[in-house]
Amino acid sequence: MRAPPYSIPTVSRKRRFVPAIAATGGAVLVALAMPHTAAAQTVRADGQTAAPADPAPPAEPVDARGPAVINSAAESRRIMFEADDLAYDSQQDIITASGSVLLRSEDRSLRSDQVIWNRATGQIEASGNVRFVDQDGSQIFTNRIELTDQFEAGAMDDLLLALREGGRLAARSAERQADGSIVLTTAAYSACAVVDPEGCQKSPSWRVTAERVTYDPDDRKIRFDGAYLELFGARVLPMPGLSVRTDGSAVSGVLIPDLRVSQSNGVEIEGGYYWRAGDNRDLTVRGYLYSEAPPMVSAQWRHLTSRGAYQITGYATASNRISDFGATPTSERDPRGYIAANGKFQFDPKWSVTGSIRRASDRTFLRRYDISRDDRLRSTVNLERISSTSYFSLAGWATQTMRINAPQGEVPLALPVIDYRKRFDDPAGFGGTLELQGNTLAITRRDGQDTQRAFGSAQWRLSRLTDLGQIVTVTGLVRGDVYHSGDNGLTATAIYRGNPGWETRAIAVGAVDVQWPFIGEAFGGTQIVTPRVQLVATPPIRNLAVPNEDSRAIDLEDSNLFSLNRFPGYDRFEDGIRLTYGLDWEVQRPSWRFKSSLGQSYRLENDQTALIGGTGIRERVSDFVGRTELRFRDMISITHRYRLDKDNFAVRRNEFDATIGDKRTYAEIGYLRLNRNIAEGIEDLQDREELRFATRVAFAKYWSIFGAGIINLTDFEEDPTLTSDGFEPIRTRLGVSYRDDCLELGLTWRRDYSETGDAERGNTFQLFFALRNLGFR
C-alpha cells in the first residue's frame, strides 16, 4: 500500500534550488538550499516548514512509496508522481524514480519502469514499458521517451501512437519539433483494430506506410511523405500528398478513383479532388473518363451557415443521345447535364424556408450515367411558420417528367400552394379541440387544364373514455370550396375534368367512432382484442362538378378504412351515410408480437358516381381489408396486407413483405399483386404484379455474397397496355464483399433489362472499396 502524497518544491531554470532529501518516519522531506539565503529549510508534505536537514549522500536510495508533486516555479506546472523507489544525485542534480513510476500533470500522464529527471537541463527521460497520454487522450507506447519540463513528449524510439479518435501510428523513431509537431520516420498508419471482438489478435486489413510522417496534435492532422497504401500486406497504390485528420473530419486531397464497366459507357474511371474550404463548407470536383462516351465532370458545393445549410450538385458533358420522341431513334450530340440543389434555413424558432431544385437536360441522362432512376424530378420552395397551435405554409411545386413520350406540357405547375391551420383547445368549455384551416392552390399546364381552388374548413373533435372502457370519439366538419378551371376538355379522363369556369361546393360531416379494447392473458402472453365501429354521415356533395387534381389514386386499404374521407387529397369527398366495423387483435409474448386487423363498411345508399368500380368501395357493401404483422425480436418481420372481394373472396390486393435474419445474413422478399379489374384508361389505378427480393449470406467471418432483383409479373390480362409474358426482370444485382471494422471492398454485377433511349440494357460491373478514417467514401 502506498503512503499519502507529499509535496516536493523543485528547481526552476531561472532560479536554481539545490534540494537535500531525507527519510523521516516514512515521509519524504526536501530541504532547499537557496543561494544568497541565510539558512535552508525543510518543507513537509503539508506545506509546513521543519528544521534543516543534513544533505544526504549522492544517489542514496529513498523510500518514495506514494505520490509526490513537482512544482515548476518558472512555468507554474505541477507534476504529480508516484514510484516504488526514489534516488537523488546532488552532484549532478538528477532524480531517479524506478519501479511502477507514474507521472501526472494536468491532463497528461506517463507510466514507465524508470524515470530520470535532470533538474539542471529540465529534461525528463522515461524508459521501459512507457505509456504516455497527452492532453487530447492519445497514447504513446514506446521503450524510451524524452520529456521536457513542460511535460511534452520529445525524442522516442520504436513507438506506437494510439490516437484518441481512432487510428494508430507505428514508427521506428520520432522527435518533437519546435512548433510542437512530431516527426516520425519509417512509419505506418492504420485505423484497424489489432484485436477482434473475441479478443484475438489480428493483422490490420490496410495500412499506409511512409518514410516520413508529421503529426500535429494541435491541428489534429497527419501528413505523409512518400506514402503507399497496403491491403492485406500487399503494396497496391501510391498516395502522394496524403493527409488525414485524426478526429475523422475531412481534409483537402485527391480522392481514390472508382472503376466501373457498363453497357452504355464502356470502361469508366472516376476520380476527383476534395477541397476543404473551411470548417463549414467544402467542394468536391470529379472527373469521369469513358471508353465509349466523351468525358464528364461534376462538382458538389456544401455550405453550413449560421441559419441553415444548402448544397449544390451539378454534372456536365456533351455526348450522343437517343431522341426522346419518334419511331426511329436518332443520334444527337448536345450539351447534357443535371443540377440538384437543396437547403433549409431557420430564421427563428418558428419561421423557416426549405427548397430544392432538380433539373436534367434530357430524360435519359440520369439513367445512362446511373445517377438516378426517378421517373420525375420535383423542384419546390416552401416558407413555413410552425408554432404549438398553428401552421402556415406558402409553397410552390414544379415537376419535370422523365418518362419517355410523356408530354411535358401536360405536367402541372403548382404555384402558389397556401395552407394555414389554427388549433383551439376546449373552445366552448365542454372539451375537445377545434381546428380551422384555409387552403388555396393554383395549377397551370402549358398544354392542359388549369385549375384554381380555395377552401375554408372547421373541424371539432372530442374523445372520451367511458366507465366501461370504451374510447368514444365525436367529430364534426364543415367546409366550403371555390373552384375555377379552364381548358377542361384537354383532360383525357372525363370524371376528372369538372365543369369549366367557377364552381362552389359545400361539405358537412358528422361522425362517431367507438373502440372497446379487452385485455387479458393468452398463449403465455398478453392479448388485446379491440372491436371498432364508426358511423359517418355526409349530405350529397357535388363531386363531379369540380376538377379532380389530387384525389385520383383511391383504393380501399386498412390504412384508410376508418378515415372520414377515404379519397386522398381534397378534390373528392365521400358522401352518404356509412357504417364501418372492424376488429384488431394483438398478442404479445416475450420476444414475439402478433397483430391483425380486419374490417368492412356498409353504405345506406348506392348512388356514388364519384367512386370508381374496382376500388373496393363503389358498391353498398365494401370489400374486406386487413393487415397482419408478425415480429420475432429483430430476426423476423412479416407484414401481409390484403383486400378480399365481398362476393367471392377473391384476392383483389395481395401485398407481402418479409425480412428474416440478422445484420450479416438476411433475406428480404416483397410481393404485390393488384387484381382490381378497373376500367381501362383510369390513370394510377391499373393492375400490376411485382416481385422484389434481396439477400446477403455471410461466410468466413468477414466475407459475404449478396443479390437483389425486381421482376415484373404483370401480364396482358392484368394490363392490356403491356406486352409482357408475366415474367419480365427489370433489374438484378449480384456481388461479393469483404467488410471488417475498417475496410469494405467488393465486386458487383448488375443487369438492366429495359432500354430507355441511350440508357442501354446490359451488364454493369463495379469494383469498390472504402477505408475508415481516410474519407474514401
Side-chain angles (χ1 to χ4, degrees), residues 166-178:
R168 292 172 172 82
L169 268 169
R172 190 177 301 275
S173 63
E175 185 174 352
R176 177 178 293 274
Q177 304 299 301

Side-chain angles (χ1 to χ4, degrees), residues 478-641:
V478 292
R479 197 178 100 184
D481 302 347
V482 177
Y483 281 81
H484 181 271
S485 57
D487 295 326
N488 300 58
L490 298 178
T491 297
T493 306
I495 62 173
Y496 294 160
R497 296 173 182 169
N499 299 330
W502 291 96
E503 289 289 342
T504 60
R505 182 177 64 174
I507 300 173
V509 183
V512 178
D513 190 306
V514 180
Q515 302 178 59
W516 197 352
F518 296 89
I519 304 176
E521 297 181 357
F523 309 105
T526 302
Q527 72 169 343
I528 305 175
V529 180
T530 307
R532 184 175 182 181
V533 179
Q534 181 192 63
L535 178 65
V536 181
T538 306
I541 299 175
R542 301 175 65 243
N543 275 308
L544 297 184
V546 301
N548 182 3
E549 296 283 1
D550 62 4
S551 301
R552 300 183 179 184
I554 181 176
D555 197 9
L556 183 64
E557 302 175 357
D558 63 288
S559 59
N560 64 8
L561 177 64
F562 287 93
S563 299
L564 294 181
N565 179 29
R566 292 182 285 195
F567 280 97
Y570 296 108
D571 290 333
R572 292 290 182 265
F573 207 101
E574 191 176 358
D575 56 7
I577 301 175
R578 70 178 185 270
L579 182 69
T580 306
Y581 41 88
L583 182 71
D584 295 335
W585 180 35
E586 181 176 353
V587 178
Q588 294 188 15
R589 294 188 56 190
S591 305
W592 287 91
R593 179 183 178 186
F594 172 82
K595 186 177 182 179
S596 182
S597 302
L598 180 66
Q600 188 185 39
S601 65
Y602 175 80
R603 190 186 312 280
L604 271 63
E605 302 110 357
N606 199 23
D607 184 17
Q608 289 293 319
T609 55
L611 295 174
I612 299 172
T615 58
I617 54 177
R618 173 66 184 269
E619 300 182 19
R620 177 169 292 181
V621 180
S622 76
D623 289 345
F624 295 95
V625 293
R627 179 188 185 104
T628 301
E629 299 179 14
L630 177 64
R631 293 186 64 92
F632 173 69
R633 296 180 180 172
D634 293 329
M635 297 180 59
I636 299 177
S637 176
I638 301 174
T639 302
H640 182 217
R641 302 173 64 196

Side-chain angles (χ1 to χ4, degrees), residues 3 16 105 114 372 412 494 570 637 653 739 761:
R16 183 176 178 184
S105 177
Q114 185 182 67
S372 170
Y570 296 108
S637 176
R653 181 189 186 100
R739 184 174 184 177
R761 60 184 299 172

Side-chain angles (χ1 to χ4, degrees), residues 213-378:
V213 176
T214 303
Y215 167 53
D216 190 340
D218 296 330
D219 197 24
R220 298 186 178 182
K221 184 179 292 187
I222 302 174
R223 298 177 180 87
F224 298 83
D225 294 330
Y228 283 85
L229 174 65
E230 295 184 0
L231 293 179
F232 303 106
R235 180 174 290 186
V236 296
L237 186 68
M239 306 180 71
L242 174 66
S243 63
V244 298
R245 296 271 302 186
T246 62
D247 56 5
S249 61
V251 294
S252 300
V254 178
L255 302 176
I256 298 302
D258 281 343
L259 177 64
R260 180 186 301 180
V261 180
S262 66
Q263 188 70 30
S264 299
N265 302 311
V267 179
E268 171 188 340
I269 299 178
E270 172 194 340
Y273 184 83
Y274 174 83
W275 177 44
R276 184 74 167 178
D279 292 337
N280 63 332
R281 58 193 184 278
D282 57 27
L283 175 67
T284 303
V285 179
R286 298 179 184 271
Y288 307 81
L289 298 178
Y290 308 99
S291 62
E292 303 294 334
M296 183 174 67
V297 295
S298 70
Q300 182 185 56
W301 171 260
R302 301 186 301 177
H303 189 190
L304 175 64
T305 70
S306 60
R307 295 188 179 275
Y310 69 94
Q311 64 176 358
I312 304 173
T313 303
Y315 294 80
T317 186
S319 64
N320 298 327
R321 64 180 176 88
I322 304 299
S323 176
D324 296 343
F325 303 97
T328 303
T330 61
S331 295
E332 301 176 2
R333 185 177 181 88
D334 291 328
R336 308 178 68 185
Y338 168 66
I339 185 170
N342 66 286
K344 181 175 182 179
F345 296 90
Q346 192 78 36
F347 303 115
D348 59 37
K350 296 181 180 180
W351 284 96
S352 67
V353 62
T354 305
S356 66
I357 298 174
R358 298 186 68 193
R359 191 74 180 178
S361 60
D362 54 85
R363 306 190 188 192
T364 60
F365 176 80
L366 298 179
R367 286 178 177 264
R368 172 171 181 173
Y369 294 100
D370 203 19
I371 300 172
S372 170
R373 295 187 174 272
D374 294 338
D375 61 358
R376 60 180 64 87
L377 303 180
R378 294 188 179 95

